[in-house]
Amino acid sequence: PHKKVEKICCLGAGYVGGPTCAVIAARNPHVQVTIVDLNALRIAAWNSDDLPIYEPGLDEVVKSCRGRNLFFSTDVDKAIIEADLIFVSVNTPTKTQGMGAGFAADLGYVESATRHIAKVAQGDKIVVEKSTVPCRTAQSMRFILEANARPGIHFDILSNPEFLAEGTAIADLMNPDRVLIGSLNTEAGRSAAASLVDIYAGWIKREQIITTNLWSSELTKLAANAMLAQRISSINALSAICEATGADVDEVSYACGLDTRIGPKFLKASVGFGGSCFQKDILNLVYLSESLHLPEVAAYWKQVVEMNEYQKKRFVNRIISCLFNTLTGKKIAILGFAFKKDTGDTRESPAITLCKYLRAERANVAIYDPKVAESQIWMDLTEPGITDDLAKLQKQISIADSAYAACKGADAVVVCTEWDEFRNTRLDYRKVYEMMNKPAFIFDGRLILDQKELESIGFHVEMIGRPR
Ligand code: NAD
Ligand code: UGA
């Protein structure tokens, strides 16, 4: 018989810890869930009416159980002591220095969270790796926990990677394709896994809750992200061929996707993928392959990231060459700064790379995004530590409070994020055309615009994956 979990603690109140544990609390009213973070401002925001992340449906879920069985706190020790099961959902960014810099995951936050659990715990715990980590990290966590545990205390370690996508996090959590739980194949390991299965069974069918060994579970997370990103790089590579030949990438994608072996999802050509995880997790896989002395495997996956960089650069080159090979002093309106629609997250957003390239061409850039905070945009476009940079930046870059304000007096409009409000049905492109310099160019990096209609207004339109 396995243990019934009554109290859960989650270390890390970020994009994953917050929504995931809020849904767990909403669907398990008899389980007490406490989400803790070292960042007091973030916790204060979770306890306010203005949640720290924008995610459709999140407000309702949090409001339905906050103060009942869902709590946000900075009291990490208390939450650890009380919990039977602890999610570790802290950040695992790419290392910026030292061995593996630029590729390997920085496991410093995972390790310090693990040490903290060992130091504070006064009874047995199930420790769940929720963060995305390299294969065999659970082994290191066990080693640290066992070496630092108080006498007689037992820890079980599970891997339970998260597959939610931002912008659809609540829908993904409520109705996931699968939940994956990895454990040691021992009696204690299987019993710990069964305890976590019970939590998810609060709203998910048993057959969708998959259990595997620890290492398969850890590797599956990296594999799934690598395969998803690979599809985008594949269609983006084809978009370059389309532009040069007269094929239309949306048509190619649609026709390929009808083959049930290929399927239609994740085949939308774009200016490039962004987000905090695809690039980081692929580089992590590249590093893992290299450490295992598998250079061919490493090179294979690395190409997915290189193709993505190429796609961003190619798009900027197209803008430059269409605008008569000079952007100096021209105004470019950037519509959308988030890495995808329905999120305010800008981590690794292609818009950041684009703005940097455009700035180097001495263009004046006006940015509009419906959800990204102005301070975030300045942070993304400045190099940390360079103080006079912001003043210099603001001579070239401005932030607009509407799409129209960004487009006023512009030579070109560039759609970087597929927000619904930029679609032809929502934005009055006649009005946009009237207020722009002529010839008026539109570059659609997301394939959301109606090219024919825009051309009939008078625009010169350039779409990813359609011939020039
Ligand atoms: P995040 O940066 O939004 O949140 C991590 C939080 O952990 C931060 O608020 C930080 O202050 C906190 N933290 C760090 N050390 C701590 C400690 N010792 N105790 C308590 N709190 C601590 O990151 P995120 O986007 O939520 O990602 C977390 C993990 O989940 C990463 O490994 C990521 O790869 C993975 N992941 C992310 C997504 C996504 O869509 N963002 C999806 C699946 C998996
Ligand atoms: C992705 C995965 O989809 C999640 O399953 C995973 O849990 C998560 O990474 C993670 O580990 O962090 P996310 O990055 O939030 O989720 O968002 P996606 O919907 O995957 O989009 C990523 C990027 O790819 C965006 O910039 C998006 O615009 C782009 N994209 C997506 C395309 O260019 N074309 C597509 O067809 C799909």
Side-chain angles (χ1 to χ4, degrees):
H2 57 268
K3 188 161 143 191
K4 282 263 169 281
V5 172
E6 288 171 4
K7 289 188 179 172
I8 290 177
C9 156
C10 175
L11 303 181
Y15 285 89
V16 170
T20 306
C21 286
V23 168
I24 287 178
R27 295 302 190 192
N28 290 278
H30 303 297
V31 177
Q32 181 184 309
V33 180
T34 306
I35 307 177
V36 295
D37 204 294
L38 304 174
N39 181 338
L41 284 176
R42 216 166 195 186
I43 291 298
W46 279 110
N47 280 319
S48 76
D49 285 337
D50 193 13
L51 300 185
I53 64 181
Y54 170 70
E55 195 61 69
L58 177 64
D59 281 26
E60 290 77 2
V61 172
V62 169
K63 276 182 195 144
S64 75
C65 47
R66 191 173 57 190
R68 180 194 74 187
N69 68 325
L70 175 66
F71 303 92
F72 295 92
S73 162
T74 50
D75 195 342
V76 179
D77 293 10
K78 177 166 176 271
I80 292 175
I81 290 168
E82 288 183 351
D84 315 302
L85 182 147
I86 302 169
F87 285 105
V88 176
S89 186
V90 302
N91 35 331
T92 51
T94 304
K95 274 180 83 171
T96 55
Q97 53 183 42
M99 195 100 79
F103 289 90
D106 180 350
L107 293 174
Y109 301 97
V110 172
E111 172 156 349
S112 98
T114 308
R115 285 184 184 273
H116 202 120
I117 295 170
K119 190 173 115 200
V120 173
Q122 297 169 356
D124 295 353
K125 309 278 173 201
I126 300 172
V127 178
V128 185
E129 192 184 76
K130 186 57 125 175
S131 298
T132 302
V133 289
C135 199
R136 296 196 80 82
T137 301
Q139 180 98 319
S140 317
M141 287 173 77
R142 177 193 334 285
F143 199 22
I144 291 169
L145 286 169
E146 285 173 358
N148 293 286
R150 298 176 190 212
I153 293 188
H154 176 76
F155 293 103
D156 285 298
I157 302 177
L158 299 175
S159 157
N160 172 221
E162 185 47 61
F163 297 105
L164 69 80
E166 288 176 29
T168 53
I170 299 302
D172 294 343
L173 288 164
M174 290 293 189
N175 192 16
D177 288 342
R178 78 312 203 180
V179 167
L180 177 58
I181 299 172
S183 71
L184 278 187
N185 201 5
T186 59
E187 201 173 313
R190 285 191 298 270
S191 156
S195 297
L196 185 55
V197 168
D198 278 352
I199 295 292
Y200 284 108
W203 77 102
I204 296 162
K205 288 199 207 88
R206 292 266 171 172
E207 48 289 13
Q208 283 176 297
I209 308 173
I210 312 296
T211 51
T212 66
N213 83 34
L214 271 173
W215 328 122
S216 305
S217 171
E218 290 176 333
L219 185 58
T220 297
K221 176 61 201 179
L222 297 183
N225 273 356
M227 287 191 199
L228 289 168
Q230 180 199 42
R231 284 172 68 91
I232 304 171
S233 277
S234 296
I235 199 71
N236 283 344
L238 290 166
S239 77
I241 299 181
C242 290
E243 287 166 33
T245 56
D248 176 331
V249 78
D250 265 344
E251 292 180 349
V252 173
S253 164
Y254 176 70
C256 284
L258 287 176
D259 185 325
T260 51
R261 294 168 303 174
I262 297 172
K265 295 181 184 169
F266 259 72
L267 282 184
K268 185 79 179 168
S270 66
V271 53
F273 60 73
S276 63
C277 292
F278 277 172
Q279 175 170 315
K280 155 175 94 66
D281 294 350
I282 294 171
L283 295 177
N284 193 341
L285 193 61
V286 169
Y287 186 71
L288 182 71
S289 310
E290 270 165 5
S291 354
L292 298 168
H293 307 293
L294 303 168
E296 290 82 357
V297 179
Y300 176 77
W301 290 113
K302 199 171 172 195
Q303 188 59 26
V304 173
V305 173
E306 282 170 4
M307 183 54 64
N308 198 48
E309 289 307 309
Y310 170 70
Q311 185 75 349
K312 290 185 268 186
K313 212 182 256 166
R314 222 167 57 73
F315 190 58
V316 177
N317 279 338
R318 194 168 171 186
I319 298 175
I320 298 171
S321 85
C322 282
L323 281 120
F324 318 108
N325 290 309
T326 175
L327 300 186
T328 308
K330 289 182 182 163
K331 181 175 175 186
I332 314 282
I334 298 287
L335 297 189
F337 200 77
F339 80 96
K340 62 184 284 196
K341 74 169 180 177
D342 293 339
T343 177
D345 194 354
T346 61
R347 291 179 290 179
E348 304 296 334
S349 177
I352 300 175
T353 317
L354 238 69
C355 286
K356 287 189 174 161
Y357 281 132
L358 294 176
R359 218 191 138 198
E361 296 294 327
R362 293 191 284 166
N364 294 323
V365 181
I367 300 166
Y368 168 68
D369 188 285
K371 281 291 174 205
V372 177
E374 197 168 311
S375 56
Q376 183 63 48
I377 298 180
W378 294 127
M379 221 146 69
D380 288 333
L381 294 179
T382 41
E383 308 292 334
I386 305 176
T387 43
D388 71 337
D389 203 34
L390 185 63
K392 243 168 68 199
L393 187 72
Q394 287 176 337
K395 289 202 179 114
Q396 249 186 297
I397 299 204
S398 61
I399 297 169
D401 56 8
S402 72
Y404 298 115
C407 295
K408 195 160 191 281
D411 294 275
V413 171
V414 182
V415 175
C416 286
T417 312
E418 73 282 21
W419 285 103
D420 289 337
E421 66 172 79
F422 302 149
R423 289 181 182 276
N424 289 60
T425 45
R426 298 276 297 276
L427 198 64
D428 182 349
Y429 280 97
R430 264 175 213 290
K431 184 169 157 186
V432 171
Y433 183 76
E434 294 307 324
M435 54 174 54
M436 284 176 67
N437 272 349
K438 308 296 177 316
F441 290 87
I442 290 199
F443 297 86
D444 182 358
R446 292 293 184 168
L447 289 170
I448 57 166
L449 300 179
D450 182 336
Q451 182 172 1
K452 283 217 176 76
E453 191 184 305
L454 293 174
E455 281 170 350
S456 74
I457 295 173
F459 282 106
H460 182 89
V461 185
E462 297 283 332
M463 316 273 292
I464 293 263
R466 278 193 210 158
R468 294 187 48 182

